[in-house]
Amino acid sequence: MNKTILTLAIASLSLVACKKDEKKADAQSSVDSTATKTEEAAAVIPDSAAINKAWMEYATPGEAHKMMMAENGTWNGEMTMWMNAGAEPMKQAVSAEYKTVMGGRYQEGIHKGNFMGMPFEGKSTLAYDNATQEYTSTWIDNMGTGIMIMKGKYDPATKQFSFEGDCVDPVTKKTKKMREVVTVVDDNTRKMEMFDTGYDGKEYKNMEILSTKKK
């Protein structure tokens, strides 16, 4: 008799547990169904007029691109470099020639100078993405084999472009942070400051270029 009661009790508890599991499954099913409906609602495809309008706005140069066009021309500058934090500064004369390409949508720069007795050449590109509303810059030179990519924005209050990016240190083979600030001093003067990450993990200023536009 006791065994029968025990068996019935176990069966009853199992039935209750099964019903709870069924309720949980139904509740989860309801959540999944709601999520699916939400995803379906979010996946509404815009009409062709909206798509065309968005692409036209994306492809049309704006005020940011006019600022890039104002940089067109030849700039002569003095570059100061620090190999590490606290190092003695090294100075070199440099030049850069900027032009906008593809209907004023992008800026290209050819940079020349001398680095520790060796001819130096670099190439920069600058874009303003109308969709993300931020600048993207790229840099290559004959002192390496990589491409540096940085993104940033312009602050009209300080008249500064601020960029951040990553690069791989050739010595450690590890990724490190880089930062660049370009200040519009006046119509014909620019100051570029580059900040590197030292082997101690701390940021330090490794370059400054003060440039004047050739008239």
Side-chain angles (χ1 to χ4, degrees):
M1 182 67 176
N2 290 336
K3 288 184 179 180
T4 302
I5 293 173
L6 182 60
T7 301
L8 290 172
I10 293 172
S12 177
L13 290 172
S14 298
L15 181 60
V16 170
C18 288
K19 288 184 177 180
K20 286 183 179 179
D21 289 341
E22 288 176 0
K23 287 181 179 180
K24 288 182 180 178
D26 291 341
Q28 185 61 45
S29 177
S30 177
V31 170
D32 292 342
S33 177
T34 302
T36 301
K37 290 179 179 178
T38 301
E39 290 175 0
E40 290 175 352
V44 175
I45 299 175
D47 58 38
S48 59
I51 293 175
N52 290 337
K53 181 176 181 295
W55 275 99
M56 284 296 293
E57 292 175 349
Y58 180 59
T60 303
E63 291 301 316
H65 300 88
K66 290 180 181 178
M67 289 184 65
M68 289 193 290
M69 292 181 71
E71 303 291 303
N72 289 352
T74 301
W75 296 73
N76 295 316
E78 182 181 65
M79 177 178 69
T80 305
M81 291 191 66
W82 296 266
M83 297 305 292
N84 51 65
E88 288 295 319
M90 298 183 294
K91 295 184 180 293
Q92 300 286 346
V94 294
S95 66
E97 185 172 351
Y98 295 106
K99 66 178 181 178
T100 44
V101 297
M102 299 187 183
R105 291 176 175 83
Y106 307 95
Q107 178 200 82
E108 286 186 354
I110 299 298
H111 307 257
K112 294 182 179 180
N114 188 286
F115 182 73
M116 299 179 70
M118 297 176 60
F120 173 80
E121 181 180 0
K123 184 174 182 178
S124 62
T125 60
L126 182 65
Y128 181 79
D129 192 320
N130 287 337
T132 63
Q133 296 188 346
E134 67 178 355
Y135 290 89
T136 300
S137 72
T138 68
W139 174 265
I140 57 175
D141 59 46
N142 63 337
M143 298 293 177
T145 52
I147 301 178
M148 180 184 291
I149 301 174
M150 305 184 85
K151 294 181 180 292
K153 294 191 175 185
Y154 176 70
D155 183 358
T158 59
K159 294 186 177 181
Q160 288 184 332
F161 294 87
S162 298
F163 294 90
E164 292 184 352
D166 298 323
C167 72
V168 175
D169 187 289
V171 178
T172 64
K173 305 298 188 294
K174 294 181 179 179
T175 300
K176 62 178 180 177
K177 297 289 184 182
M178 300 288 291
R179 188 166 65 88
E180 180 183 3
V181 177
V182 179
T183 304
V184 179
V185 179
D186 56 43
D187 290 344
N188 298 305
T189 311
R190 300 288 184 271
K191 182 172 74 171
M192 187 280 282
E193 299 170 278
M194 183 71 76
F195 299 87
D196 199 350
T197 301
Y199 295 115
D200 59 358
K202 296 180 180 179
E203 180 185 84
Y204 73 98
K205 183 175 178 178
N206 74 318
M207 184 189 301
E208 177 179 306
I209 302 177
L210 188 63
S211 301
T212 303
K213 191 173 186 180
K214 185 177 179 180
K215 296 180 180 180

